[in-house]
Amino acid sequence: MKLCVFQGTFNPIHNAHLRVANSLSGDFDKILFIPAFEPPHKIIDSSMSIHRLNMVKLAIQNYEKFEVSDIEYKRGGKSYTYLTICEFYELYNVENKINFIIGTDAFKNIEKWYRADELKKLVKFLVFQREDKFNISEYDILRQKGYDFEFQSLPFEDISSTELRYKIKNGEDLENFLPTKVGDYIRKNELYKT
């Protein structure tokens, strides 16, 4: 199986996440969305984890190759990518390496991730531009250190979950940024109001 994973906080999942994954869907048998229970490098309300998981389920319903994994939700605690990837190699008959979607903002700090030296042997990183001023040569050092990655051509979109949460709190219309069912879920459950 050609497997690609998209791990993230998804707080909330938005249309740019879906566009990124959809741009790769032709290359893979399955794209697995993995909402982190507790991201190691972020302070987050863990009571939101079930809502983030539910929103991802709603967002991907109409995409044939997209699936959601609750592996990190069930494990609880800090969501370490290395542990999740090791489990996926046991669960799936993976062809070559697992591909891993990541933004340039996170990839810059990849060496700080838990067991990064072992993780880099297990995945190929598919890197998307997450900043306006982007210098590809900044990443040459990571290739020299054995990281397997390629940059994707999807244009930069200035959408962040942080910004969307702020807009939701202020009652702004987010129809263009969120899948309809995600927007409905947020309103129904009164999320991001505080």
Side-chain angles (χ1 to χ4, degrees), residues 3-7 10 13-34 56 59-60 63-68 99-103 126-128 152 154-155 157:
L3 179 63
C4 182
V5 300
F6 196 174
Q7 181 193 42
F10 301 119
I13 188 168
H14 52 69
N15 290 337
H17 291 132
L18 298 174
R19 275 193 284 276
V20 161
N22 201 40
S23 73
L24 296 168
S25 61
D27 300 330
F28 298 102
D29 298 312
K30 186 188 303 257
I31 297 183
L32 210 48
F33 286 72
I34 314 156
V56 173
I60 68 167
Y63 294 86
E64 184 184 343
K65 292 185 179 180
F66 292 3
E67 286 184 24
V68 64
N99 289 260
F100 189 92
I101 296 170
I102 192 168
L126 305 178
V127 187
F128 283 85
Q152 303 303 303
L154 201 68
E157 278 189 274

Side-chain angles (χ1 to χ4, degrees), residues 103-130:
T104 48
D105 52 344
F107 192 53
K108 275 182 183 174
N109 298 305
I110 194 68
E111 291 180 282
K112 295 176 184 173
W113 286 26
Y114 177 74
R115 296 175 78 164
D117 271 350
E118 292 161 85
L119 177 65
K120 73 184 179 187
K121 298 169 191 167
L122 299 177
V123 300
K124 177 177 183 176
F125 294 97
L126 305 178
V127 187
F128 283 85
Q129 188 176 342
R130 282 293 312 269

Side-chain angles (χ1 to χ4, degrees), residues 50-67:
I50 187 63
H51 291 301
R52 293 185 289 103
L53 178 64
N54 288 339
M55 286 188 283
V56 173
K57 286 178 182 176
L58 290 170
I60 68 167
Q61 280 178 342
N62 297 327
Y63 294 86
E64 184 184 343
K65 292 185 179 180
F66 292 3
E67 286 184 24

Side-chain angles (χ1 to χ4, degrees), residues 62-154:
N62 297 327
Y63 294 86
E64 184 184 343
K65 292 185 179 180
F66 292 3
E67 286 184 24
V68 64
S69 170
D70 61 2
I71 194 168
E72 294 185 349
Y73 177 77
K74 284 181 174 173
R75 188 190 306 134
K78 299 271 186 206
S79 298
Y80 292 113
T81 301
Y82 171 76
L83 299 177
T84 300
I85 294 298
C86 287
E87 285 192 53
F88 283 155
Y89 274 108
E90 291 177 13
L91 290 170
Y92 297 101
N93 181 20
V94 177
E95 186 179 317
N96 298 320
K97 285 183 182 176
I98 290 174
N99 289 260
F100 189 92
I101 296 170
I102 192 168
T104 48
D105 52 344
F107 192 53
K108 275 182 183 174
N109 298 305
I110 194 68
E111 291 180 282
K112 295 176 184 173
W113 286 26
Y114 177 74
R115 296 175 78 164
D117 271 350
E118 292 161 85
L119 177 65
K120 73 184 179 187
K121 298 169 191 167
L122 299 177
V123 300
K124 177 177 183 176
F125 294 97
L126 305 178
V127 187
F128 283 85
Q129 188 176 342
R130 282 293 312 269
E131 56 222 312
D132 218 0
K133 293 178 180 155
F134 174 63
N135 182 357
I136 202 165
S137 63
E138 285 178 38
Y139 300 86
D140 290 346
I141 187 70
L142 290 174
R143 202 174 302 281
Q144 291 165 23
K145 290 180 177 181
Y147 286 86
D148 181 9
F149 62 94
E150 67 180 43
F151 289 96
Q152 303 303 303
S153 59
L154 201 68

